[in-house]
């Protein structure tokens, strides 16, 4: 399947093969703080965000990268030398 942006699964669904969308600078800063071992509360204080906003943004980043946890998102960013 050349040029279609994905491969087909057995069920006939298209599997995404292109890399995830790049992260915003703030998202990378958020992941860098998580990588340092800071709590959600501490990340919020550093970024001047509420804990609720930090948790929401972490969920959004994980979703965008198609990973299950913030730690997996950190690993993704570290492997690509983004943080």
């Amino acid at each position: 399947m050349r040029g279609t942006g994905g491969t087909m699964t057995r069920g006939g669904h298209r599997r995404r093969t292109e890399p995830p969308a790049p992260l915003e600078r703030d998202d990378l800063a958020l992941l860098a703080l998580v990588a340092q071992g800071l709590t959600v509360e501490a990340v919020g204080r550093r970024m001047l965000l509420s804990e609720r906003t930090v948790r929401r943004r972490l969920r959004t980043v994980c979703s965008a990268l198609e990973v299950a946890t913030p730690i997996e998102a950190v690993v993704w960013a570290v492997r690509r030398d983004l943080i």
Side-chain angles (χ1 to χ4, degrees):
M1 300 194 87
R2 279 205 160 111
T4 60
T7 59
M8 297 299 279
T9 64
R10 274 196 233 176
H13 297 94
R14 192 168 307 281
R15 180 182 302 137
R16 194 173 127 167
T17 57
E18 67 273 1
L23 298 176
E24 300 291 327
R25 193 176 340 187
D26 286 347
D27 297 330
L28 293 174
L30 179 73
L31 291 179
L33 294 173
V34 171
Q36 292 174 27
L38 272 62
T39 64
V40 169
E41 181 182 6
V43 170
R45 280 195 309 264
R46 291 260 183 108
M47 296 186 76
L48 304 175
L49 301 170
S50 71
E51 290 180 48
R52 184 176 180 181
T53 300
V54 171
R55 290 181 199 285
R56 181 180 48 78
R57 288 181 60 184
L58 284 171
R59 279 193 308 271
T60 301
V61 167
C62 288
S63 178
L65 298 179
E66 298 179 347
V67 298
T69 67
I71 297 303
E72 289 180 79
V74 167
V75 170
W76 183 94
V78 167
R79 287 184 175 164
R80 286 159 181 79
D81 293 321
L82 298 173
I83 60 170

